[in-house]
Amino acid sequence: MRSRSIVGTATTTAAATAALLTAATATATAAPATPRATAPGFLTADDLPPHQTSPWYAGPVGKGLPDPEPFCVDGAIPDKAGTYHRLFGTEYDTHAAQVSVVTKAPKAAGKLAAALEKRVANCAADWLRNNPGSTASWDDYGTVDAGDSAHIYGVHTAPPESEHGVNMFAVVRKGAKVTVVRWAEMGTLEHAPVAAFRTTTAKAAARL
């Protein structure tokens, strides 16, 4: 598909490098009588699009949202019991994040997935409004036959006189669970490994 280019105004870079968490995982205390939601399955380092010169490294699965939250979907994912995340990195500028939410029912999951898809589709335009003077573009790479629904997008941002950043996003729903995967590095949409990311998306759905 042809990318949609948007020209506007800017000062900040969207592809902020996400260092792997040194996670202090809280030890589980003996739970009250109420059962807790089981953490959904997550991608592993080997599930991500291969990097040309570096292996991927995976951080631990943690409760709640990562800090910072993933670009484009920040503020759109509930930070509550049933929300989990995992961060990934390489030895270079390429990094990734996955956030998964266990909702109360498939209907709630469908509503959350639709909201996340809308947020990603509008991300380039929203970013330009907050960053005057830049350029940005996006692409809808369509659906993946995985889970109950899976959709992938690409977003490119370029502050003036600064580096270009390219992101790919997958929003996946399976039953009452939703996961969003963000992959990011310096570059443009032409550099996005779309075919490999489609495989990553199918694996994310399978692991949920």
Side-chain angles (χ1 to χ4, degrees):
M1 278 188 142
R2 184 173 300 172
S3 62
R4 290 85 162 172
S5 294
I6 308 169
V7 180
T9 57
T11 66
T12 60
T13 175
T17 51
L20 285 178
L21 292 183
T22 62
T25 46
T27 51
T29 55
T34 351
R36 286 186 144 184
T38 305
F42 273 75
L43 294 168
T44 66
D46 291 340
D47 294 330
L48 293 163
H51 191 281
Q52 290 184 349
T53 55
S54 170
W56 280 95
Y57 303 100
V61 174
K63 294 179 182 178
L65 295 171
D67 183 17
E69 296 177 44
F71 173 57
C72 285
V73 294
D74 48 311
I77 305 173
D79 189 7
K80 60 181 183 180
T83 300
Y84 302 85
H85 69 273
R86 189 173 210 178
L87 300 181
F88 305 85
T90 65
E91 294 169 1
Y92 297 94
D93 65 317
T94 309
H95 56 273
Q98 181 180 9
V99 182
S100 298
V101 181
V102 182
T103 68
K104 293 181 179 179
K107 185 176 181 180
K111 186 176 179 180
L112 175 59
L116 291 172
E117 287 191 37
K118 183 177 180 181
R119 176 67 76 88
V120 174
N122 293 334
C123 181
D126 290 341
W127 182 79
L128 282 174
R129 274 191 289 274
N130 294 322
N131 295 279
S134 336
T135 59
S137 57
W138 70 286
D139 217 337
D140 182 342
Y141 295 123
T143 59
V144 176
D145 187 12
D148 295 316
S149 68
H151 205 141
I152 63 175
Y153 301 86
V155 177
H156 160 254
T157 55
E161 300 180 6
S162 186
E163 72 273 5
H164 291 247
V166 59
N167 300 262
M168 285 190 296
F169 296 89
V171 179
V172 181
R173 180 178 68 84
K174 186 177 182 181
K177 300 174 183 177
V178 176
T179 194
V180 57
V181 182
R182 177 207 177 195
W183 169 99
E185 72 174 15
M186 291 174 62
T188 65
L189 290 173
E190 288 71 26
H191 300 110
V194 179
F197 194 67
R198 292 182 73 86
T199 301
T200 297
T201 302
K203 290 181 177 180
R207 293 186 184 281
L208 273 180

